[in-house]
Amino acid sequence: MKDDDRFDSSIVRLGILLLLFDVYLTWARIEKQTVPISARGEGANLGSLAQQSIVSQYFFFLILCALSTFAFHMSIRFLTSSKFSPLNFFNILPRYSRPNSVSTALLVSSSTKLFPILMVIWQYDVPAAARSLGWAVVANNVEALRILLDCGYGIATLLATLGALARWTVGRSVLWAAGLDGVDSIGETSIAADGKALWALLMYVREWASDLAAG
């Protein structure tokens, strides 16, 4: 990141690379969700989208991922850097004057998305891999926001969660508009299920820390 808060060219290239990998993983995940078990191997069941050319399908998923990523970044940038941010209004988080630095931190901490390149040499379940990568990316995003904004884990987690919610909402809207409202752009599990899993994990870590302190 440059002194005037402009994006460095290497960060722009990283963002494009992450977007292209996200397109690949999202396409594979949604295609697997929409193919009935008895019909797998006979082609994807993507509704009217399946009748389009491969190029058209690719551009659809490119738009889907681009809009979802845009929503993720803009929601967090608004909450951290806008003078209209409710976090700033209620003095929960001081206004951060370098919004592009926020996006840079999010992009760099999202580099875990590049791990699917291992699929070239290692076959694994796409939805399960997507969920695992999703959690790893979220954890990295939280840590990056905590360090950059000099805030606690609670605020950083709140920002990452709201950003993920904005991304999910936009993704579902695009899928609904394309007639794919029966699939989930972020995987086979719902946000509620993932939230319960995260809460259970937090409770486990809390109990473990308490036992460690007591022992």
Side-chain angles (χ1 to χ4, degrees), residues 39-189:
R40 286 181 182 171
E42 300 177 3
N45 181 22
L46 294 176
S48 60
L49 183 62
Q51 308 302 320
Q52 306 298 321
S53 65
I54 294 297
V55 174
S56 298
Q57 293 184 43
Y58 179 83
F59 275 107
F60 167 77
F61 285 105
L62 179 62
I63 293 172
L64 168 64
C65 294
L67 291 178
S68 299
T69 301
F70 179 79
F72 175 71
H73 280 262
M74 291 307 298
S75 59
I76 295 180
R77 285 164 64 106
F78 170 78
L79 291 171
T80 57
S81 303
S82 173
K83 61 181 180 180
F84 301 108
S85 169
L87 298 182
N88 179 42
F89 180 79
F90 291 106
N91 294 321
I92 298 176
L93 180 70
R95 180 173 176 267
Y96 191 75
S97 60
R98 296 169 63 91
N100 285 340
S101 295
V102 175
S103 289
T104 296
L106 292 173
L107 287 172
V108 173
S109 62
S110 297
S111 299
T112 314
K113 288 184 178 181
L114 299 178
F115 283 179
I117 197 173
L118 295 174
M119 291 185 71
V120 176
I121 57 176
W122 178 34
Q123 296 293 327
Y124 55 86
D125 183 64
V126 172
R131 288 194 298 272
S132 300
L133 285 173
W135 283 115
V137 170
V138 168
N140 289 340
N141 289 159
V142 169
E143 187 64 26
L145 289 171
R146 185 191 69 84
I147 294 174
L148 178 68
L149 303 176
D150 192 24
C151 62
Y153 279 108
I155 298 299
T157 302
L158 176 64
L159 290 170
T161 301
L162 293 176
L165 182 61
R167 177 172 54 196
W168 177 83
T169 301
V170 170
R172 287 305 297 262
S173 299
V174 174
L175 291 173
W176 176 83
L180 296 174
D181 52 311
V183 298
D184 195 337
S185 61
I186 61 173
E188 292 180 336
T189 57

